[in-house]
Amino acid sequence: MKKIAITGACGHMGRVIAGIISERADCEVCAGIDKAGESYDGFPIVRSVFDLTEKPDVIIDFSHPSALPDLLNYCKMNSVPIVIGTTGYSDEEKSQITASAAQIPVFFTFNMSLGINLLAELARKAAQILGGQFDIEIVEKHHNRKKDAPSGTAIMLAEAINEELGNSKRYIYDRHAVRRPREADEIGMHSVRGGTIVGEHDIIFAGHDEVITLSHSAQSREVFAVGAVNAAVFLAGKPAGLYTMNELISEK
């Protein structure tokens, strides 16, 4: 039975994750960490990770980038694996995550959904076949409360495509500010914010007289919670290193 602590436990995703864990027999929530300090679901909530009274087997983080330094410090001091599901990190913060993986097991991906990670692999294959013959645009849609744009998932998809193309592409985020025809080395990235859209991603390959679109639509946040819990159970007991959904999928 793996003991899991949830950072951001009082937020919507934290509550969904707690609900998913409560239905499983291989793990349980031992504590929540949240500045709100609310209590629910029969486990203690502390305001700081350093206030934990019991060492968890793994931490799942769906909080805010500002929580990263304390989380990484606690995990390194106590040899605790961490699953990071928070988005909106700066390049410097991503470097801190990568550096910490030399000391502890870190599961880090921009999207915990199995479907999105399959979409990334399909996009790689499409880029490999279509090469420089098709223009590539990515459109992502999320709810009106999402702060970062483009989404971390859109960036993950763009990087998967760009890696397949030898990192020859550059990202264009605002065509309104660029008054010129589209150039061949661009990947356009576009963000839509509205209503309660959980998450939609379209990858458009536009060629001469034909368009291929790869799409994924999340109907609820539960798909991300399920992926995060699977990642936590997978990560507990692993050696130090940076893990992604690829390692989890390959073990199945």
Side-chain angles (χ1 to χ4, degrees):
M1 178 75 72
K2 305 300 183 185
K3 295 182 178 181
I4 300 174
I6 305 171
T7 307
C10 297
H12 180 76
M13 274 302 297
R15 293 174 185 269
V16 173
I17 289 169
I20 296 295
I21 293 174
S22 69
E23 297 173 357
R24 296 181 57 144
D26 57 353
C27 56
E28 64 179 359
V29 181
C30 63
I33 303 127
D34 200 296
K35 289 182 178 179
E38 300 172 9
S39 182
Y40 72 95
D41 236 14
F43 55 84
I45 303 286
V46 296
R47 293 182 180 275
S48 167
V49 67
F50 293 106
D51 295 331
L52 288 173
T53 58
E54 179 181 9
K55 176 182 170 181
D57 293 315
V58 61
I59 290 176
I60 297 178
D61 172 45
F62 272 93
S63 56
H64 188 272
S66 61
L68 184 67
D70 280 354
L71 282 172
L72 293 180
N73 286 336
Y74 173 88
C75 289
K76 287 186 288 188
M77 288 169 56
N78 296 279
S79 299
V80 174
I82 182 168
V83 175
I84 300 177
T86 301
T87 61
Y89 290 115
S90 66
D91 289 341
E92 181 181 349
E93 288 165 333
K94 292 175 192 174
S95 296
Q96 292 172 11
I97 292 170
T98 302
S100 296
Q103 298 178 244
I104 55 172
V106 177
F107 193 103
F108 180 52
T109 179
F110 285 113
N111 194 297
M112 293 289 175
S113 161
L114 181 62
I116 277 289
N117 285 272
L118 175 58
L119 180 68
E121 291 306 308
L122 294 174
R124 284 179 182 272
K125 185 64 175 178
Q128 178 187 343
I129 295 172
L130 302 175
Q133 303 176 53
F134 283 63
D135 295 326
I136 304 168
E137 300 282 310
I138 297 174
V139 181
E140 55 95 353
K141 305 173 186 177
H142 284 87
H143 52 88
N144 56 24
R145 295 176 63 83
K146 187 171 179 61
K147 296 178 181 180
D148 55 312
S151 68
T153 300
I155 294 171
M156 180 187 81
L157 294 171
E159 289 181 346
I161 293 168
N162 204 12
E163 184 178 305
E164 195 65 38
L165 298 174
N167 294 312
S168 60
K169 300 290 186 178
R170 56 196 176 92
Y171 307 148
I172 300 297
Y173 303 102
D174 182 10
R175 295 207 180 280
H176 178 266
V178 183
R179 307 291 291 179
R180 56 169 172 71
R182 187 190 196 285
E183 297 182 1
D185 66 342
E186 298 178 2
I187 295 180
M189 302 179 71
H190 314 276
S191 299
V192 175
R193 296 289 177 267
T196 57
I197 301 171
V198 175
E200 298 179 9
H201 293 84
D202 296 328
I203 307 172
I204 301 167
F205 292 86
H208 184 71
D209 291 342
E210 61 179 336
V211 176
I212 300 167
T213 303
L214 302 176
S215 300
H216 178 273
S217 178
Q219 301 302 311
S220 78
R221 296 187 185 183
E222 187 169 315
V223 297
F224 311 124
V226 170
V229 176
N230 284 337
V233 173
F234 160 82
L235 196 64
K238 287 286 190 295
L242 188 63
Y243 297 84
T244 67
M245 193 62 74
N246 291 335
E247 285 79 24
L248 177 57
I249 292 172
S250 64
E251 192 171 272
K252 287 187 175 296

